Amino acid sequence: MTARRTICLYLLLVASLAARPGDGCTSISPVAGERLAHYVAMRYHLPASAALKLDEKSVVAGTCYWKLTFRGDGVLGPYRLTLYSSPDMRFLSSDLFDSSIDPAREEYAEAQEKSVRVLEGEYASTGSPASSLTVVVFSDFQCAYCKRLSVLLATEPLVRSTDKVRLIFRHMPATQHDWAERAAEAAACAQVQSDAAFWSLHDALFAHQSEITAKNFDAELGTLISRIARLDLGGFQQCMDRRMSFGIVARDRRLAGALGVKGTPTLFINGKMLTGLPSANELHNSLLDALRLARIGTKGPPDR
């Protein structure tokens, strides 16, 4: 098939499948949506098992550009990808910058939106809900960098000052880790009982990370939970046997996908994402920046 014929067939397909809604923008038919999903799956090298589909679509206000959300099944749980399409559906982009909006205020608005989303559902936390800063960490108990981040957070002066920072934990065990899933469910079972029980097991799992294996996990876990004061061991074991905390872990994974989290550790500081393992100085400065912005309150971000 020649290139010219391919282009002609593509234009005919778009013309035949697209209708004209009242606003004059070309609509996306179900067949066109399937074509776009197929292209995105190939472009991002997703397996057929991902079953990617166009799940949401909306016109960007005041334009004929489309905001498209594709969903499928990924190795870390549900896969979610948002792209923007040109009006003729030929070009796709991961970003669409509006030069009429102040970038600082746009970033601030996005962070505010995410700061609400990261607080959905149940979670374990330390610090006061009235704290100026909320730090949410997506973590994996078998991840070496996550362990190092836990040490950084434990020694960070602003985090230790519980009146300034509220720390929230979200589960994101990687499927390639052979005991991370069970560790997440165990920590979530402790979380159901109390925040104190969760953080005690959280610290113990990271402290003994190098000693734990898939084969000895149950024995190691038994030793660790036996040392946690005020933990109802019978209730904990029932939670583990029935996998009663599976939903907590699955929900956190879905939330991670919705927020664009790709790996662990990932932090959200008042809604602003910080990926990877920061240095102690980077973490402290990020917290200070967020604290300064928080003090502005409802006035919005400072002008640049």
Side-chain angles (χ1 to χ4, degrees):
M1 184 179 293
T2 65
R4 178 174 293 182
R5 185 181 177 190
T6 300
I7 294 173
C8 289
L9 287 175
Y10 166 76
L11 294 175
L12 286 172
L13 175 65
V14 172
S16 64
L17 296 177
R20 285 290 191 180
D23 62 4
C25 297
T26 301
S27 66
I28 301 177
S29 72
V31 176
E34 289 180 7
R35 181 190 66 79
L36 289 170
H38 178 66
Y39 170 83
V40 171
M42 291 193 299
R43 183 69 178 79
Y44 286 88
H45 305 288
L46 300 178
S49 60
L52 195 71
K53 65 178 181 179
L54 177 59
D55 188 59
E56 298 175 14
K57 55 186 178 181
S58 60
V59 176
V60 178
T63 76
C64 282
Y65 283 84
W66 287 92
K67 181 179 180 180
L68 310 174
T69 300
F70 299 88
R71 297 183 189 273
D73 299 317
V75 294
L76 296 178
Y79 181 86
R80 183 179 185 272
L81 176 67
T82 297
L83 296 173
Y84 295 91
S85 167
S86 59
D88 62 359
M89 290 169 276
R90 178 180 176 185
F91 297 102
L92 294 176
S93 173
S94 58
D95 293 302
L96 192 65
F97 299 118
D98 188 342
S99 61
S100 68
I101 300 176
D102 177 4
R105 296 190 179 276
E106 187 173 28
E107 290 175 10
Y108 180 78
E110 290 175 357
Q112 289 295 98
E113 180 183 354
K114 287 185 176 180
S115 69
V116 174
R117 295 210 63 184
V118 293
L119 298 181
E120 293 176 359
E122 300 174 354
Y123 45 77
S125 67
T126 62
S128 168
S131 299
S132 300
L133 297 182
T134 298
V135 177
V136 181
V137 55
F138 284 83
S139 190
D140 174 334
F141 289 108
Q142 198 175 345
C143 162
Y145 291 110
C146 296
K147 176 180 178 178
R148 290 167 62 183
L149 177 62
S150 72
V151 174
L152 278 179
L153 290 170
T155 55
E156 163 57 44
L158 289 173
V159 175
R160 290 172 63 87
S161 175
T162 55
D163 63 321
K164 290 187 175 65
V165 177
R166 187 186 190 195
L167 179 63
I168 292 172
F169 186 94
R170 292 292 194 179
H171 303 277
M172 193 177 169
T175 55
Q176 66 267 29
H177 288 163
D178 53 12
W179 56 265
E181 182 86 25
R182 284 185 287 168
E185 291 186 21
C189 280
Q191 170 184 329
V192 170
Q193 293 196 27
S194 70
D195 282 344
F198 167 83
W199 290 108
S200 292
L201 185 53
H202 165 281
D203 294 346
L205 286 167
F206 277 132
H208 295 272
Q209 185 187 77
S210 61
E211 304 159 25
I212 301 174
T213 66
K215 290 183 178 180
N216 71 14
F217 178 81
D218 290 337
E220 290 287 333
L221 178 64
T223 300
L224 296 180
I225 64 172
S226 69
R227 300 169 181 166
I228 298 177
R230 297 185 298 279
L231 180 68
D232 177 0
L233 297 180
F236 178 87
Q237 194 58 53
Q238 184 180 58
C239 178
M240 288 295 291
D241 291 343
R242 297 184 180 180
R243 298 195 70 188
M244 295 166 64
S245 63
F246 172 81
I248 294 175
V249 178
R251 179 213 58 210
D252 281 1
R253 272 187 172 141
R254 287 194 297 271
L255 179 61
L259 293 170
V261 177
K262 302 299 183 184
T264 57
T266 294
L267 288 170
F268 284 89
I269 302 176
N270 277 8
K272 185 174 182 179
M273 184 188 291
L274 181 64
T275 60
L277 178 67
S279 67
N281 284 338
E282 288 171 335
L283 175 61
H284 187 69
N285 289 333
S286 295
L287 291 171
L288 286 178
D289 288 343
L291 188 60
R292 280 193 289 267
L293 190 58
R295 286 171 177 161
I296 296 172
T298 57
K299 295 179 181 179
D303 294 330
R304 291 181 177 176

